[in-house]
Amino acid sequence: MERIQFEVEPSIDEREKEDETQVPDESGSDETTVPDYQLARDRERRVIRPPNRLGYADLICYALNAAEEVQDSEPKNFREASESIDSQDWLKAMNEEMLSLEKNQTWKLVPLPKNKRVVGSKWVFKRKEGIPGVEAPRYKARLVAKGFTQVEGIDYNEIFSPVVKHCSIRVLMAIVNMYDLELEQMDVKTAFLHGELEETIYMQQPEGFVEDNSKVCLLKKSLYGLKQSPRQWYRRFDDFLLKTGFVRSNYDSCVYMMKRNEKVILYLLLYVDDILMASSDKHEIQKLKEKLNGEFEMKDLGNAKRILGMDILRDRSKGELFLSQHDYLKKVVERFRMTDSKVVNTPLGHHSKLSIKQCPQSEDERKEMESTPYASGVGSIMYGMVCSRPDLSYAISVVSRFMANPGQVHWQALKWVLRYLNGSLKGGLKYTRTDPGRDALEGYVDADYAGNIDTRKSLSGFVFTLFGTAVTWKANQQSVVALSTTQAEYIALVEGVKEAIWLKGMIGEMGISQGCVKIHCDSQSAIHLANHQVYHERTKHIDIRLHFVRDMIETKEIMVQKIASEENPADMFTKSLPRAKFKHCLDLINFVEE
């Protein structure tokens, strides 16, 4: 350890200065002294940069960011808002925001102490679409702090804050429809302003509302834009709900339940400032609303109609609930000018064989593709896939591999996905009431051996249904190269079993009794390997950690059953299918194109 010294590497000018000061030794030799060279300190370092077209580690986060770009353009700053044709509306929205901040006593004006940092502030503007029949479109102005200027350890420490999983929302939709529960929605006004700051932060006064140029804002409450604001808001809301009598789920930190006599009487899901509530007793929901209104400034949106861009359409007389993103996906198609395109029947052409060899090879080809909004298109469609469109999973899994350096062939494949979207804008998940005696939770897994023609890695896919309709799905590339179809199917089975364990625990907490979870697989060899403690020369290379599937089967937590490939909906998550087979897979998970 003494040999490894982590020091700041001298600049080039300093090195040259050191070389110039080296002189011959006193013995008269012309040789200069050898500098004290240390490999860890003095070696030339390679500058590591993220790909220019992709700077996101988490593709779901990237999808959320790309989805924001689809919305209509708004003013980018205070000057644009004050000079726009809607300046009066924006000014009114800013005044409303300032009144809310003053009412909440978010800051106080003080002289800036010496040697203290100041965080900048800016206005963010948004045209809110509203909810049909509930809330009219309106103009929204938000004052935010420039959190990117904060310094870790000085202005903030911990910043992580959970949000409810999209899968949990779909699980609630299935439960609400199955048991005919009341489903209502609330919105927290200025949610982040309710958090208590633990650090001392000074902020510039908001542009257009400066009272005294010699003073700054000493923040007493958290503010939008600060890195710790989401965490502080979640902690405040979480503490309130636990004191009220709710129990937090062990499987999703933003799912809460109120239980009475071991039965769940009230569900609450939190996504930042959006709240979903469900109960069989409308009186219980009303009591909760009154408690929330007493603690926070809330907006009652009545029956849930839209959450995170997903439209919720219920027909309680028929026992149906429909989840779709028609409006959002229509904007995606319009943004990429594909509204007049020829419609296709599958998300990816059956003939499509995309490879990294089709990426631009010359600088001219790269420059030609720089103006193509490939990454933005993938992210925009990906958000639809994450929320309510399992039919897009395989196509997105394939085209997202080339976001760092897409070629013309990849762009044509993405346009094919947009053409499919243009013809299936009304598609969505239909939750229906089923026979109570049927297993609530079922899973399907599949794999495509060596599906990636570049790395020869296989693809895993699974889909789980609750009361007959999909609630969670996944299509991704396996992390290792499978040496046989059995190994590829076995790895996919492992992923499915892990998801089944999580889902079983989740719905168990939410009051649904589920025995052994059935997972359907179309590989007889993978099922045999999972059910029997056999040793075979051809399977000895399979990683021992994958055999935890056997433990789950022995404890009767999981049951793996054979299913014909033609009846396996997970097939569409691992390969491009002909139209007839693709349509049949959609029917099996209750995805309809209304």
Side-chain angles (χ1 to χ4, degrees):
M1 292 297 294
E2 294 177 356
R3 296 182 181 180
I4 304 176
Q5 299 181 18
F6 296 96
E7 299 178 3
V8 178
E9 186 177 5
S11 64
I12 297 176
D13 295 337
E14 291 174 346
R15 289 183 182 177
E16 291 176 351
K17 191 177 296 183
E18 290 175 0
D19 293 340
E20 291 174 0
T21 56
Q22 292 175 0
V23 295
D25 58 18
E26 296 179 356
S27 62
S29 171
D30 292 337
E31 296 181 0
T32 59
T33 57
V34 178
D36 181 19
Y37 179 82
Q38 296 183 13
L39 178 63
R41 182 192 67 192
D42 300 329
R43 66 183 176 85
E44 183 177 353
R45 286 170 168 77
R46 178 170 62 91
V47 179
I48 301 176
R49 298 186 181 90
N52 293 330
R53 301 296 296 275
L54 180 61
Y56 301 84
D58 188 340
L59 288 180
I60 292 183
C61 290
Y62 174 67
L64 296 174
N65 288 329
E68 285 292 323
E69 299 178 5
V70 176
Q71 310 302 323
D72 296 334
S73 59
E74 290 94 7
K76 298 295 188 295
N77 51 51
F78 177 82
R79 182 182 58 81
E80 288 187 15
S82 60
E83 294 177 357
S84 71
I85 59 175
D86 301 322
S87 58
Q88 293 301 317
D89 295 310
W90 293 124
L91 180 60
K92 181 181 177 182
M94 285 187 280
N95 285 324
E96 290 176 355
E97 175 75 356
M98 291 299 295
L99 287 174
S100 179
L101 294 170
E102 291 173 7
K103 180 180 178 181
N104 199 51
Q105 298 181 346
T106 308
W107 67 67
K108 66 177 180 179
L109 294 178
V110 298
L112 179 65
K114 291 184 179 180
N115 302 322
K116 291 293 184 180
R117 302 182 68 260
V118 180
V119 175
S121 64
K122 67 172 291 186
W123 287 101
V124 175
F125 303 95
K126 189 76 175 175
R127 290 187 183 92
K128 305 289 284 187
E129 295 181 354
I131 301 175
V134 178
E135 184 183 35
R138 61 193 176 92
Y139 291 80
K140 181 73 176 177
R142 180 79 74 193
L143 180 67
V144 302
K146 295 182 178 180
F148 59 86
T149 62
Q150 291 181 267
V151 177
E152 186 176 3
I154 299 176
D155 299 320
Y156 69 93
N157 292 298
E158 297 293 334
I159 63 174
F160 172 76
S161 177
V163 294
V164 69
K165 295 178 174 63
H166 289 79
C167 172
S168 301
I169 296 176
R170 292 188 292 264
V171 167
L172 180 67
M173 296 299 151
I175 294 174
V176 164
N177 184 72
M178 182 66 184
Y179 300 107
D180 195 25
L181 305 182
E182 302 289 339
L183 180 65
E184 300 201 11
Q185 187 175 6
M186 293 191 82
D187 181 77
V188 187
K189 294 182 180 179
T190 59
F192 286 2
L193 305 186
H194 295 287
E196 300 290 341
L197 283 178
E198 299 173 352
E199 300 85 8
T200 301
I201 298 178
Y202 297 93
M203 185 189 75
Q204 292 176 351
Q205 294 186 55
E207 188 176 4
F209 295 85
V210 178
E211 296 182 16
D212 188 344
N213 289 322
S214 63
K215 294 184 177 181
V216 294
C217 301
L218 172 60
L219 296 182
K220 299 167 66 177
K221 301 285 184 69
S222 61
L223 191 69
Y224 286 88
L226 294 178
K227 291 183 179 293
Q228 64 267 54
S229 290
R231 179 180 179 84
Q232 297 305 112
W233 155 244
Y234 171 75
R235 291 177 60 182
R236 170 79 187 280
F237 191 83
D238 180 71
D239 289 342
F240 173 75
L241 283 187
L242 296 182
K243 290 176 182 177
T244 308
F246 277 86
V247 178
R248 188 196 313 118
S249 170
N250 294 315
Y251 296 88
D252 190 332
S253 299
C254 289
V255 174
Y256 298 87
M257 294 147 290
M258 183 177 285
K259 297 184 179 181
R260 190 173 296 160
N261 299 326
E262 298 301 319
K263 291 186 177 181
V264 179
I265 63 168
L266 190 60
Y267 300 95
L268 186 146
L269 272 60
L270 175 70
Y271 191 98
V272 189
D273 57 357
D274 288 320
I275 298 174
L276 280 177
M277 295 168 288
S279 176
S280 58
D281 187 353
K282 195 156 188 167
H283 182 62
E284 292 290 343
I285 294 180
Q286 192 59 40
K287 287 198 299 185
L288 175 60
K289 287 182 177 180
E290 292 173 359
K291 291 179 181 179
L292 290 172
N293 275 316
E295 185 73 12
F296 310 105
E297 190 176 359
M298 308 289 295
K299 183 189 298 182
D300 189 351
L301 301 178
N303 293 330
K305 298 291 183 63
R306 178 180 293 165
I307 181 75
L308 303 182
M310 296 181 285
D311 292 319
I312 304 170
L313 305 174
R314 290 190 73 181
D315 188 337
R316 300 181 70 169
S317 61
K318 295 182 179 179
E320 295 179 351
L321 186 149
F322 188 62
L323 203 64
S324 75
Q325 289 175 279
H326 173 270
D327 294 341
Y328 169 73
L329 294 175
K330 184 178 180 181
K331 286 185 177 180
V332 173
V333 173
E334 290 174 351
R335 183 187 177 211
F336 293 95
R337 302 177 182 176
M338 298 294 288
T339 51
D340 298 326
S341 61
K342 183 179 179 181
V343 173
V344 291
N345 294 322
T346 56
L348 205 60
H350 193 51
H351 58 280
S352 297
K353 299 294 180 183
L354 302 183
S355 167
I356 198 170
K357 295 178 182 178
Q358 297 161 340
C359 293
Q361 303 298 321
S362 66
E363 194 62 33
D364 292 339
E365 291 178 347
R366 291 190 185 93
K367 287 182 179 179
E368 183 181 348
M369 290 300 298
E370 280 180 0
S371 60
T372 304
Y374 186 86
S376 178
V378 173
S380 301
I381 302 171
M382 188 185 297
Y383 183 65
M385 179 271 293
V386 168
C387 293
S388 63
R389 297 296 297 261
D391 53 326
L392 302 173
S393 296
Y394 173 71
I396 290 298
S397 174
V398 173
V399 298
S400 62
R401 300 174 196 162
F402 311 101
M403 283 197 290
N405 187 26
Q408 194 60 235
V409 176
H410 307 134
W411 174 238
Q412 294 300 323
L414 181 61
K415 285 166 62 174
W416 183 289
V417 182
L418 289 167
R419 289 167 59 192
Y420 168 75
L421 269 183
N422 191 31
S424 60
L425 292 175
K426 295 182 179 180
L429 295 168
K430 179 183 282 189
Y431 294 91
T432 57
R433 291 179 196 154
T434 59
D435 180 8
R438 176 182 173 181
D439 288 331
L441 183 65
E442 288 188 274
Y444 304 84
V445 299
D446 192 31
D448 183 29
Y449 179 59
N452 189 323
I453 61 178
D454 296 312
T455 63
R456 307 311 295 173
K457 289 182 178 180
S458 304
L459 303 177
S460 295
F462 65 72
V463 58
F464 281 83
T465 61
L466 186 62
F467 306 123
T469 306
V471 291
T472 182
W473 52 84
K474 189 175 183 181
N476 70 327
Q477 188 173 256
Q478 296 178 0
S479 58
V480 297
V481 178
L483 304 183
S484 64
T485 54
T486 299
Q487 185 182 5
E489 296 280 358
Y490 198 56
I491 293 174
L493 181 60
V494 169
E495 293 298 316
V497 169
K498 290 193 292 185
E499 188 74 7
I501 294 170
W502 180 85
L503 265 175
K504 181 181 178 182
M506 180 73 183
I507 65 174
E509 284 189 336
M510 298 180 78
I512 299 176
S513 178
Q514 173 71 39
C516 184
V517 180
K518 293 180 181 177
I519 298 181
H520 303 278
C521 177
D522 57 13
S523 172
Q524 190 68 57
S525 56
I527 295 173
H528 186 74
L529 185 62
N531 280 291
H532 305 288
Q533 302 283 351
V534 295
Y535 172 83
H536 196 279
E537 188 71 20
R538 293 183 179 179
T539 59
K540 64 180 181 180
H541 62 279
I542 294 179
D543 198 331
I544 190 67
R545 65 186 175 87
L546 300 177
H547 291 307
F548 94 100
V549 173
R550 293 174 176 172
D551 298 334
M552 294 296 102
I553 293 175
E554 283 187 2
T555 58
K556 302 193 184 305
E557 294 283 327
I558 303 293
M559 177 190 300
V560 184
Q561 291 185 335
K562 180 72 170 71
I563 189 173
S565 181
E566 294 76 15
E567 299 299 320
N568 188 0
D571 205 25
M572 71 176 181
F573 292 86
T574 58
K575 57 186 72 71
S576 182
L577 300 175
R579 170 58 182 170
K581 175 67 183 295
F582 180 72
K583 182 66 171 65
H584 183 59
C585 289
L586 294 181
D587 293 338
L588 292 173
I589 60 172
N590 263 12
F591 182 90
V592 297
E593 299 178 3
E594 289 193 349

